[in-house]
């Protein structure tokens, strides 16, 4: 028996013991590395094979092959006992054919998306965007808009007052005043933004919601201009199938005043909780700017006239995306937001 065969026999005896004791994957893998791995015993022995005398070569080769096979059997047996299979170690390698993991990216909130869309539509009609503060004074929010001192909207039940007398704006209409105070006519603006009211939240009301205000002042502006701009807006946002409805109404800052409805997209006009069974959703208040408002900002009502409108952005979003309840827009549940 030559030195190589002796080494193989010693290795086999040792490997039997180690394999019997190896219960975890790491120990089994170490066994493989020590005997069959690139720097393990058997590859080393195969290099020594060259120095074996010719007459011993056959026997040594047979012992070498039998030894290597036996080691593999010991490894397989240990794997089986430990509950892992050869296939396990294969699946642990990354599978390059799997599709990549998509990184979640955020996107604009549906309210912002609809507001942006409204602005884009009005921009195409020549309106520019104006902005105003959310913390307003009573003058801009009520007085200059011709709101009587005893108007219910001024009540603390409806309006959030700060101790210093300022308020959270209840509408985007004060932006009209701010724009006219600082610009000579003609003006043509839209002002999207957040407004605040002490409403009890339900499917179509929130304490804090969004409006987009529009104002156009020029010479000889008429109600027909108002109707056409609102019709164009409805068509651009919801397609030519949308039905619109104007109803006479009252606002302190417009005369005449109207409320403006879109047919309900949730139920197609049949009646559902969103439209409170009426088939229509109130979208906008609008009208011809009251001469008193023009005088408050120093515009001559004999020369200038105009229209104004204000719409609820949440209502538009609900119609656009068929959202049955306004409150989904504020809960920030990602399962809801992901859908947009
Ligand atoms: N500010 C009104 C509201 O909050 C909406 C509105 C009505 C705006 C008529 C207007 C308008 O500009 O002309 O209900």
């Amino acid at each position: 028996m030559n030195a190589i065969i002796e080494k193989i026999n010693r290795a086999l005896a040792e490997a039997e013991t180690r394999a019997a004791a190896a219960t975890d994957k790491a120990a089994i893998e170490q066994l493989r590395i020590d005997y069959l791995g690139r720097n393990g015993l058997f590859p080393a022995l195969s290099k020594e094979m060259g120095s074996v005398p010719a007459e011993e070569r056959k026997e040594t080769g047979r012992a070498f092959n039998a030894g290597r096979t036996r080691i593999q059997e010991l490894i397989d047996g240990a794997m089986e006992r430990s509950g892992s299979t050869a296939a396990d170690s294969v699946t642990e390698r990354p599978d390059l054919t799997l599709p990549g993991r998509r990184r979640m990216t955020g996107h604009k909130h549906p309210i912002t998306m609809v507001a942006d869309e409204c602005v884009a539509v009005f921009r195409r009609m020549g309106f520019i965007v104006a902005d105003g503060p959310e913390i307003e004074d009573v003058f801009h929010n009520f007085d200059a808009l011709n709101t009587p001192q005893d108007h219910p909207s001024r009540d603390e039940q409806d309006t959030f007052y700060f101790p210093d007398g300022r308020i959270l704006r209840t509408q985007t209409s004060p932006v009209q005043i701010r724009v006219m105070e600082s610009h000579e006519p003609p003006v043509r603006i839209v002002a999207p933004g957040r407004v605040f009211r002490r409403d009890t939240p339900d499917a179509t009301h929130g304490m804090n919601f969004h409006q987009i205000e529009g104002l156009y002042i020029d010479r000889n502006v008429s109600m027909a201009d108002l109707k056409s701009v609102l019709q164009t807006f409805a068509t651009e946002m919801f397609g030519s199938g949308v039905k619109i409805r104007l109803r006479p109404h009252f606002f302190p800052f417009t005369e005449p005043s109207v409320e403006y409805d879109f047919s309900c997209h949730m139920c197609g006009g049949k009646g559902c909780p969103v439209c409170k069974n009426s088939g229509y959703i109130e979208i906008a208040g609008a009208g011809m700017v009251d001469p008193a408002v023009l005088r408050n900002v120093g515009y001559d009502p004999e020369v200038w006239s105009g229209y104004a409108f204000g719409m609820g952005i949440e209502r538009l979003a609900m119609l656009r995306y068929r959202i049955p309840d306004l409150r989904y827009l504020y809960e920030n549940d990602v399962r809801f937001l992901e859908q947009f």
Side-chain angles (χ1 to χ4, degrees):
M1 205 195 307
N2 65 28
I4 293 186
I5 297 179
E6 255 170 58
K7 279 188 201 167
I8 290 170
N9 288 342
R10 232 181 296 127
L12 281 176
E14 188 188 88
E16 296 274 354
T17 322
R18 282 182 59 184
T23 49
D24 62 293
K25 271 193 209 170
I28 300 167
E29 175 63 5
Q30 194 55 51
L31 202 58
R32 192 191 62 77
I33 291 168
D34 289 348
Y35 295 102
L36 308 179
R38 202 186 319 174
N39 300 312
L41 180 69
F42 278 81
L45 288 179
S46 88
K47 283 187 204 119
E48 285 177 37
M49 221 55 126
S51 58
V52 174
E55 64 275 18
E56 291 175 22
R57 215 165 267 170
K58 209 171 169 190
E59 189 194 357
T60 312
R62 218 182 286 127
F64 180 91
N65 288 335
R68 207 169 47 179
T69 307
R70 180 63 189 146
I71 299 278
Q72 190 60 59
E73 278 169 12
L74 290 173
I75 291 171
D76 291 347
M79 287 248 255
E80 215 167 323
R81 281 193 306 280
S82 81
S84 32
T85 62
D88 276 352
S89 48
V90 170
T91 54
E92 273 167 22
R93 274 189 254 134
D95 179 352
L96 299 181
T97 66
L98 285 175
R101 235 171 261 161
R102 194 180 287 268
R103 193 179 286 261
M104 294 277 283
T105 52
H107 60 73
K108 286 183 182 168
H109 191 277
I111 290 177
T112 309
M113 284 161 46
V114 169
D116 287 355
E117 224 181 307
C118 294
V119 166
V121 169
F122 285 115
R123 262 189 213 278
R124 289 200 289 275
M125 292 192 269
F127 289 79
I128 61 168
V129 176
D131 199 8
E134 290 174 0
I135 298 176
E136 238 330 338
D137 51 53
V138 168
F139 173 76
H140 288 91
N141 196 86
F142 293 122
D143 300 341
L145 286 163
N146 201 35
T147 312
Q149 286 303 323
D150 59 354
H151 194 276
S153 68
R154 291 184 183 244
D155 201 287
E156 280 187 35
Q157 301 231 317
D158 295 304
T159 301
F160 292 104
Y161 281 84
F162 288 95
D164 67 3
R166 288 185 302 167
I167 58 169
L168 290 174
R169 68 177 177 193
T170 60
Q171 48 190 358
T172 43
S173 305
V175 183
Q176 292 184 29
I177 303 299
R178 291 188 175 273
V179 168
M180 290 190 285
E181 280 175 336
S182 56
H183 294 80
E184 289 302 316
V187 296
R188 179 149 45 177
I189 57 102
V190 284
R194 189 185 286 261
V195 302
F196 306 83
R197 286 189 204 171
R198 300 186 81 156
D199 265 333
T200 309
D202 65 22
T204 52
H205 292 86
M207 295 211 277
N208 127 22
F209 55 100
H210 299 75
Q211 291 185 331
I212 182 165
E213 190 81 14
L215 174 71
Y216 176 45
I217 306 284
D218 207 335
R219 295 171 203 272
N220 305 316
V221 180
S222 74
M223 195 82 181
D225 298 321
L226 171 62
K227 273 180 83 173
S228 87
V229 86
L230 292 179
Q231 175 62 66
T232 305
F233 173 74
T235 307
E236 292 272 315
M237 288 292 284
F238 295 100
S240 50
V242 70
K243 277 193 276 178
I244 63 169
R245 183 171 78 174
L246 293 179
R247 285 176 288 112
H249 200 74
F250 173 80
F251 294 104
F253 33 89
T254 44
E255 181 58 35
S257 303
V258 294
E259 268 189 339
Y260 169 76
D261 307 329
F262 286 178
S263 52
C264 178
H265 274 216
M266 285 302 284
C267 60
K270 277 194 233 83
C272 69
V274 171
C275 59
K276 296 201 179 115
N277 288 319
S278 71
Y280 283 90
I281 295 194
E282 180 191 325
I283 297 286
M288 302 307 293
V289 178
D290 195 297
V293 173
L294 296 176
R295 254 182 254 116
N296 286 342
V297 296
Y299 284 11
D300 182 354
E302 299 300 326
V303 180
W304 305 104
S305 57
Y307 61 71
F309 56 83
M311 311 188 220
I313 293 177
E314 279 77 359
R315 308 250 167 120
L316 292 171
M318 289 167 80
L319 277 178
R320 195 89 174 90
Y321 300 122
R322 298 171 187 245
I323 300 166
D325 191 318
L326 184 91
R327 287 165 289 193
Y328 285 122
L329 290 167
Y330 299 111
E331 281 165 359
N332 286 331
D333 185 331
V334 286
R335 291 169 302 177
F336 169 76
L337 294 175
E338 266 170 6
Q339 300 174 60
F340 298 92

